[in-house]
Amino acid sequence: MTIIVTGGAGFIGGNYIYYHLKAHPEDRVICLDKLTYAGNLSTLSAVMNYPNFRFVKLDICDREGVYRLFEEEKPDVVINFAAESHVDRSIENPSVFLQTNIIGTSVLMDACRKYGIQRFHQVGTDEVYGDLPLDRPDLFFTEETPIHTSSPYSSSKASADLLVMAYHRTYGLPVTISRCSNNYGPYQFPEKLIPLMIINALHDKPLPVYGEGLNVRDWLYVEDHCKAIDLIVRNGKVGEVYNVGGHNEMRNIDIVKLIVYALDKSEDLISFVTDRKGHDLRYAIDPTKIHNALGWLPETKFEDGIKKTIAWYLENQSWWKEIISGEYQKYYQRMYANR
Ligand code: NAD
Ligand code: DAU
């Protein structure tokens, strides 16, 4: 099987490529990535010379380039991880989110229609369901929960999901969608909560917690997400949406404190800052469908996953030091200096 993985130089796509090459060494894997600020070739350095791996620097919005690649590689499967993925950046400047997340997805699906495909899998997010109240722990997102977005990011991802289902109904494109909760693990870009707090704590820099830190996220170790996607692509039903999450809800403040203790730092580093605009209160996935239909269950407990993740950031400082030495500093100043 030949598989195109878009956005494979990013966090989840990179982890997926490692997972796939190990689980299915007989497959040919092509990574298509524009290498935006969030894409890092160093993430893929260990597989770059594999004979069944190819990296192509390309924008998913570049129709000609995408068609050329499909012509050359004749992929059986496309998994679309490529996206602008950070909510705070979408609040600052929505337009690139609309371009990549919506237009880019449609270009990929047009290529799938033109050249034929066994499966187009869209990596979606639980943020398309909006948020749940903090005082209703009995409520969860199911696949039937109405789309109700809060940020330009989640709106662009919801638009992409709607287009994916429209291409299925209108053109019969064999699609699936997964909607996952917050991922954590190796290679996550330092703008996101967990790596940002680990790296700031290591530098004894303030740990900027939005609002009162009471917002809840449902954390899943990235490898468990990769396994779910692989299962959906192989055994999932065409035209279906699968929610992915492991019932691991935590308040932001508790995550930050856990990192502070793990690194033997002081809680005095915690700094409560102005809240994110439109900040979603709580995400919580009901994974019953993927469990019943495909037998998926998360394998990594949060206590183990967070230890592995912190250890990875301690052992791979050159990976993130390279990132935070450049453009990231300007981003950090813009986002946090006067907050
Ligand atoms: P990321 O920001 O770490 O990586 C995104 C990758 O996409 C980067 O390598 C970037 O260079 C590439 N990219 C961006 N625009 C592109 C374009 N126009 N053409 C080609 N490549 C482009 O993101 P991530 O956290 O790994 O998320 C991957 C996917 O999973 C996204 O679709 C995101 O919406 C979804 N998702 C993420 C999470 C999470 O917790 N991080 C949870 C659920 C779903
Ligand atoms: O739920 C899935 C989504 O999870 C994905 O679709 C997104 O791509 C991914 O970025 C993530 O979105 P969040 O907004 O939940 O992740 P983030 O790491 O940005 O923030 C997690 C929580 O931590 C959120 O409530 C905001 C808060 N936060 C974040 C940062 C960066 C802080 O309090 N301080 C911070 O500095």
Side-chain angles (χ1 to χ4, degrees):
M1 181 163 101
T2 296
I3 166 171
I4 290 185
V5 174
T6 72
F11 165 47
I12 308 176
N15 277 282
Y16 185 82
I17 287 173
Y18 281 107
Y19 173 76
H20 193 106
L21 285 168
K22 199 167 167 201
H24 309 290
E26 69 286 1
D27 288 350
R28 176 166 167 75
V29 177
I30 293 115
C31 172
L32 179 175
D33 198 297
K34 184 181 177 184
L35 295 181
T36 66
Y37 79 91
N40 286 286
L41 265 190
S42 62
T43 295
L44 297 170
S45 56
V47 294
M48 221 37 132
N49 294 324
Y50 278 30
N52 57 340
F53 177 75
R54 176 182 174 197
F55 178 82
V56 180
K57 184 174 186 306
L58 190 62
D59 186 335
I60 57 168
C61 303
D62 173 356
R63 189 173 290 272
E64 260 181 42
V66 168
Y67 283 11
R68 211 177 309 121
L69 184 65
F70 273 63
E71 185 101 51
E72 275 169 36
E73 294 288 354
K74 304 193 171 35
D76 303 295
V77 169
V78 174
I79 307 183
N80 184 26
F81 292 90
E84 289 292 334
S85 70
H86 193 37
V87 174
D88 292 326
R89 288 188 194 251
S90 83
I91 294 168
E92 200 185 26
N93 179 15
S95 68
V96 67
F97 284 74
L98 310 189
Q99 186 63 25
T100 288
N101 298 1
I102 307 174
I103 305 297
T105 301
S106 75
V107 168
L108 288 172
M109 290 193 294
D110 286 340
C112 291
R113 286 175 57 212
K114 187 169 160 65
Y115 295 97
I117 198 89
Q118 284 171 26
R119 181 67 62 84
F120 176 83
H121 182 76
Q122 175 70 358
V123 181
T125 169
D126 63 354
E127 296 201 16
V128 300
Y129 300 122
D131 61 356
L132 296 163
L134 291 175
D135 60 357
R136 289 292 307 274
D138 55 316
L139 297 181
F140 297 93
F141 296 140
T142 72
E143 290 78 2
E144 273 69 51
T145 302
I147 302 286
H148 184 82
T149 57
S150 311
S151 70
Y153 162 71
S154 56
S155 305
S156 69
K157 292 292 290 183
S159 307
D161 283 8
L162 294 176
L163 266 180
V164 171
M165 295 316 280
Y167 271 59
H168 173 60
R169 174 155 178 166
T170 306
Y171 306 116
L173 197 72
V175 304
T176 37
I177 298 176
S178 50
R179 293 185 181 142
C180 191
S181 58
N182 287 62
N183 284 212
Y184 68 101
Y187 300 111
Q188 188 166 30
F189 194 83
E191 68 195 353
K192 305 285 167 42
L193 179 77
I194 288 181
L196 186 143
M197 295 300 165
I198 296 173
I199 292 169
N200 278 19
L202 285 173
H203 288 106
D204 294 308
K205 278 177 64 175
L207 307 177
V209 174
Y210 299 167
E212 294 175 74
L214 302 179
N215 304 60
V216 170
R217 295 294 182 263
D218 185 358
W219 294 94
L220 183 72
Y221 193 61
V222 63
E223 197 180 7
D224 281 322
H225 185 191
C226 296
K227 286 181 183 166
I229 291 171
D230 188 31
L231 262 181
I232 295 168
V233 167
R234 276 160 206 270
N235 304 331
K237 201 166 150 217
V238 161
E240 294 284 317
V241 173
Y242 296 88
N243 283 355
V244 184
H247 282 305
N248 185 59
E249 293 175 49
M250 293 187 68
R251 301 186 311 176
N252 294 338
I253 187 67
D254 297 325
I255 297 261
V256 174
K257 284 185 179 169
L258 196 152
I259 292 170
V260 164
Y261 302 142
L263 293 172
D264 202 16
K265 298 289 179 179
S266 160
E267 269 191 32
D268 294 345
L269 287 177
I270 295 174
S271 159
F272 293 97
V273 301
T274 308
D275 210 347
R276 174 184 278 174
K277 288 193 177 81
H279 199 173
D280 281 336
L281 294 171
R282 170 176 168 251
Y283 302 147
I285 284 275
D286 175 354
T288 305
K289 178 175 175 180
I290 189 169
H291 175 59
N292 289 345
L294 304 177
W296 179 87
L297 274 178
E299 288 168 24
T300 302
K301 287 200 200 98
F302 187 76
E303 309 88 272
D304 301 330
I306 193 72
K307 273 190 207 138
K308 280 203 267 185
T309 303
I310 293 173
W312 188 88
Y313 280 89
L314 284 170
E315 285 157 18
N316 291 275
Q317 302 207 13
S318 58
W319 182 86
W320 54 263
K321 280 189 173 154
E322 176 69 27
I323 292 170
I324 65 165
S325 66
E327 178 60 28
Y328 184 76
Q329 288 301 329
K330 286 190 195 144
Y331 163 80
Y332 199 88
Q333 282 301 313
R334 274 201 325 273
M335 207 53 81
Y336 295 97
N338 301 309
R339 195 154 186 156

